[in-house]
Amino acid sequence: MDLDPRTPLGWTFIMIGATLSLFGMTTNADAHLYAPCLGINANLVWGFVLLLIGMFLVPFGHRGQRRREKP
Amino acid sequence: MPDLNIVDWLILLICFFLAAGIGFTLRHGIKTAGDFFQAGRAMPAWVSGLAFLAAGLGAQEVIAMGAAGARYGLRSAQFYIMGAIPAMLFLGVFMMPLYYGSKARTVPEFLRLRFDEKTRALNAIFFAASAVLGLAVVMYATARLLQALHVFDAIFLFVGLPGRWSFTLTIAISATVVLLYVFLSGLMGSIYNQVLQFFIFAAGFLPIVLLGVYKIGGWSGLMKAVPAAYLHATPGVGHADVWSMGTTGMGLVLGIVLGSGYWCTDFRVLQAAMAAENQNSARRAPLIAAFIRLFLPFLLILPGLVAIGLPTPQTTTMTRDENGAIYHEITVVPREAEEGRGLVPALMDPAGSKPIQVNGQTQLNYDMATPQLLLNVLPTGLLGLGLAALLASLMAGMAANATAFNAIFTCDLYQPYIHKGASDRHYLWAGRWATLGGILLSVGLAYAAFSLHNILETLVLIFALLNAPLLATVLLAMFWKRATGHGAFAGLASGIAVAVLHHGLTLPLDAQRGIHGGWIAVLHRYPNGMAQSFWTAIFAFCVCLAITGAVSLMTEARPDAELVGLVHSLTPGPKRIKAAWWKQPERLAAVILVAAVVLSFIFA
């Protein structure tokens, strides 16, 4: 099976990162929500980091997959 | 009760959907028994390495290393690093060429090639039993953890069922997801999922650590919040009281024996490396895992330290005056949290009415250290990712046990002793049904595991009973050409017997007779379960070594020609390749060893 693990991994990070970032953006003013982490909007920050990692991984996964599929 | 909202559930669903989806996608590639049990021996080094590492990242590491961090402090890092890194390097440089080169599908099969059928059968029977037990313990840990976190309570409240059903629901969900991808795609599905689960684990745990350290006031805040002895990895080696693990400097040596036994002989982790695409990749897999493992104490042990250092929650009453009306706001904290230390709750009696006390001291439920920190520092959203990380690591451990069981049951018990000479397709399906049978058996055992308090000590005990004597057998098999089948069988059987006997005659100070030991008689008491397990391992290892040596010298050895490829001294070394240093196992191992020493000095 020629599935490069970076492809599903990248998409997972993109999906989770996008979900967290969007949620972070919509709840930016909610002080009660971010009280456990002393006011830091951790959803937005970490969501954005995961989104970037995912976008970085997917092209590498596709390239790896093409290499595997070559006869 | 944690405040899970739709975003948390969405993240959990993405992770579950992906785990099952990988199994479905890869099932088309599973055409032979070789594909199912050995992932077609086609995995690149980095995939095998990450799967090798993730296979050991089950309950015993994530929950228990957090527990060890809260209980023993940074000294747990010493056991974590020194008990594994040297062994992983040794495996990659010296042992993997023999495991991989022999083309054995499993460790018991290697013992058959090197020794004989009876040694293989003995090892296979005990290992299959330990894999089912290990799977049950991991499943039990998952269910108890989620039950204690009340993650599914909202669902049960909604449908009008009591919250205790969450134990059953958790077991059903985790067992079903793992069964699905292992049944469909065997070791390949397990390896791909372990890689994915490792990254989800890292993505979920890094914010816990960063926010936890930030909340406690940074590194300086942590140093003020916990006793000084908690922050040194090597506080006065040789003094039992200072260690508080109940072992002296010998503990280091014993830890290495235990760690080696696990990383060098346990098929649960070895199977990922043995599925690599070539010998060089197979050798580099444990080395890549060792390199990443150097940095894992930051993710695994630090949460326990932060949890014990944060303030203990207390029931509070706030009074406020609003337009002449007086309001009292009472925040009620459960008794186990109030009686605990930091965020680590007290260990309650079975009725849950009062904390368990030994010698006037309240016993703490250290296994809850990391999960409690997770609940206390992560906001909604990241909470879902944190829970997904916890579940991912536990499922990676479950899958490793499930694939190890199906391979050893089919290749080492079913094929040679129950149904010889069947078609390849028959054994492929036998492996699938073995997965189903093993998981169902483990579900039953998980319900019987309620009396276990400390997961790490239980698992260390299992490894002490089985892995320490097996390590002696495998070392003699690979590095002493004079070792014989009769010697190996006698040594292995004696080692296991001595380990069981030692466990039956000794007991930790704070434990009752039974599963924790002393079930024959109590001849000696150890300060704790860890010390008992350490000594069980060293006795088992030494007896196995001595008996194998003695019996081998009295029996006839196999001719050298038959041992080429199975014994190190009779096997030509791997060809040196011209490549970057990280692609050469010896050089990579040397760099990792230097890094481990440097890190040890930093923590000392």
Side-chain angles (χ1 to χ4, degrees):
Chain A
M1 184 69 208
D2 293 320
L3 176 66
D4 190 298
R6 284 171 291 193
T7 307
L9 185 61
W11 282 112
T12 309
F13 274 21
I14 287 174
M15 283 193 280
I16 294 175
T19 309
L20 284 176
S21 303
L22 281 174
F23 185 63
M25 276 189 257
T26 53
T27 54
N28 200 28
D30 191 341
H32 177 70
L33 181 71
Y34 295 110
C37 43
L38 306 179
I40 298 173
N41 188 341
N43 285 324
L44 184 62
V45 175
W46 200 242
F48 190 64
V49 170
L50 295 185
L51 193 62
L52 283 181
I53 295 173
M55 289 164 71
F56 179 76
L57 281 173
V58 168
F60 277 95
H62 286 313
R63 201 179 69 174
Q65 211 150 320
R66 277 198 300 275
R67 270 190 202 163
R68 283 160 168 247
E69 282 163 3
K70 274 183 189 169
Chain B
M1 195 183 296
D3 191 16
L4 290 189
N5 82 358
I6 190 137
V7 178
D8 300 306
W9 289 111
L10 190 62
I11 290 170
L12 281 168
L13 275 177
I14 290 172
C15 296
F16 279 127
F17 177 76
L18 235 101
I22 285 177
F24 270 105
T25 310
L26 294 175
R27 77 186 192 283
H28 299 297
I30 307 301
K31 293 187 171 64
T32 65
D35 295 331
F36 188 79
F37 296 120
Q38 298 177 284
R41 297 239 283 189
M43 295 292 120
W46 72 272
V47 174
S48 284
L50 283 173
F52 182 96
L53 184 67
L57 263 181
Q60 74 272 31
E61 300 243 326
V62 176
I63 301 299
M65 289 320 292
R71 191 172 192 172
Y72 306 119
L74 269 187
R75 70 198 71 168
S76 316
Q78 189 166 45
F79 172 72
Y80 188 80
I81 290 178
M82 296 311 290
I85 302 296
M88 289 159 95
L89 301 185
F90 187 77
L91 171 69
V93 174
F94 298 106
M95 295 173 79
M96 198 43 82
L98 301 174
Y99 275 133
Y100 193 88
S102 69
K103 294 191 170 59
R105 291 172 294 178
T106 63
V107 172
E109 194 167 83
F110 175 81
L111 293 180
R112 181 187 68 81
L113 294 170
R114 171 63 182 85
F115 293 125
D116 51 23
E117 278 291 350
K118 62 180 181 294
T119 311
R120 182 245 281 258
L122 180 67
N123 180 231
I125 290 167
F126 275 97
F127 186 87
S130 98
V132 170
L133 193 59
L135 184 53
V137 171
V138 176
M139 214 182 291
Y140 163 83
T142 317
R144 281 307 293 265
L145 179 68
L146 294 188
Q147 191 182 31
L149 295 177
H150 303 286
V151 175
F152 293 133
D153 282 13
I155 301 175
F156 287 103
L157 279 175
F158 185 72
V159 294
L161 283 171
R164 65 173 184 276
W165 277 76
S166 69
F167 185 85
T168 303
L169 180 73
T170 308
I171 284 190
I173 290 178
S174 54
T176 306
V177 173
V178 172
L179 175 65
L180 204 64
Y181 66 72
V182 174
F183 187 90
L184 290 172
S185 52
L187 183 59
M188 195 183 287
S190 171
I191 287 178
Y192 273 68
N193 264 303
Q194 281 162 345
V195 172
L196 181 78
Q197 283 154 355
F198 175 78
F199 281 101
I200 290 175
F201 158 77
F205 264 60
L206 204 52
I208 299 175
V209 175
L210 295 176
L211 291 171
V213 172
Y214 178 67
K215 196 166 186 172
I216 208 168
W219 190 253
S220 58
L222 180 65
M223 285 170 76
K224 284 179 199 154
V226 298
Y230 264 59
L231 294 165
H232 298 284
T234 51
V237 173
H239 199 288
D241 291 341
V242 183
W243 273 76
S244 84
M245 278 191 188
T247 61
T248 60
M250 275 298 284
L252 185 64
V253 179
L254 300 176
I256 289 171
V257 171
L258 267 178
S260 305
Y262 178 64
W263 295 103
C264 298
T265 59
D266 199 305
F267 186 60
R268 275 167 280 235
V269 288
L270 287 177
Q271 59 186 342
M274 290 164 80
E277 59 192 350
N278 54 46
Q279 194 178 96
N280 183 280
S281 296
R283 294 181 73 201
R284 283 192 294 135
L287 305 181
I288 291 167
F291 180 75
I292 299 168
R293 193 180 166 90
L294 283 176
F295 304 98
L296 283 188
F298 294 104
L299 290 182
L300 296 176
I301 293 170
L302 214 48
L305 244 91
V306 174
I308 205 92
L310 281 169
T312 308
Q314 298 292 332
T315 296
T316 52
T317 307
M318 294 243 315
T319 308
R320 61 189 166 88
D321 187 339
E322 217 171 87
N323 301 327
I326 294 173
Y327 293 91
H328 296 283
E329 282 181 7
I330 304 171
T331 309
V332 180
V333 171
R335 189 173 175 195
E336 60 262 37
E338 269 191 319
E339 301 269 351
R341 188 173 155 211
L343 298 178
V344 182
L347 195 59
M348 303 299 277
D349 65 6
S353 57
K354 58 179 183 194
I356 296 173
Q357 296 214 325
V358 174
N359 301 328
Q361 283 198 324
T362 302
Q363 299 297 292
L364 297 178
N365 189 357
Y366 290 105
D367 287 341
M368 292 305 290
T370 299
Q372 281 299 335
L373 183 69
L374 180 148
L375 292 182
N376 277 274
V377 299
L378 295 186
T380 299
L382 271 182
L383 191 58
L385 182 59
L387 286 173
L390 217 46
L391 285 170
S393 63
L394 295 167
M395 279 165 55
M398 281 175 69
N401 277 290
T403 50
F405 173 78
N406 69 29
I408 285 183
F409 175 81
T410 311
C411 303
D412 295 302
L413 296 171
Y414 183 78
Q415 189 173 4
Y417 305 118
I418 300 171
H419 199 300
K420 278 185 187 174
S423 67
D424 186 76
R425 187 172 170 75
H426 177 88
Y427 293 124
L428 166 63
W429 277 96
R432 284 187 165 142
W433 295 122
T435 309
L436 178 65
I439 288 181
L440 287 179
L441 195 56
S442 301
V443 168
L445 285 170
Y447 280 94
F450 273 99
S451 61
L452 310 179
H453 284 156
N454 191 306
I455 299 161
L456 175 66
E457 288 178 5
T458 310
L459 285 170
V460 167
L461 174 68
I462 295 169
F463 301 141
L465 292 177
L466 300 176
N467 284 63
L470 180 61
L471 174 67
T473 305
V474 172
L475 286 178
L476 290 173
M478 290 183 171
F479 301 102
W480 192 42
K481 65 177 185 176
R482 186 66 187 77
T484 67
H486 294 315
F489 180 80
L492 197 55
S494 319
I496 294 169
V498 163
V500 172
L501 199 64
H502 179 262
H503 184 252
L505 293 172
T506 61
L507 191 65
L509 274 177
D510 58 352
Q512 302 290 320
R513 288 176 69 175
I515 191 152
H516 295 291
W519 40 271
I520 301 171
V522 182
L523 297 184
H524 180 71
R525 279 188 176 265
Y526 286 103
N528 52 46
M530 188 73 82
Q532 182 198 32
S533 297
F534 276 4
W535 283 106
T536 302
I538 203 74
F539 279 126
F541 181 84
C542 291
V543 166
C544 181
L545 211 62
I547 299 285
T548 306
V551 176
S552 291
L553 290 173
M554 290 186 284
T555 48
E556 193 181 344
R558 287 170 67 183
D560 286 359
E562 291 181 13
L563 299 177
V564 175
L566 299 168
V567 175
H568 184 260
S569 60
L570 300 173
T571 305
K575 282 180 187 169
R576 288 204 174 271
I577 53 164
K578 284 184 181 176
W581 63 269
W582 64 85
K583 289 187 176 177
Q584 298 184 38
E586 289 80 4
R587 288 190 182 186
L588 181 59
V591 171
I592 296 166
L593 191 61
V594 171
V597 172
V598 170
L599 269 181
S600 298
F601 274 110
I602 290 171
F603 278 114

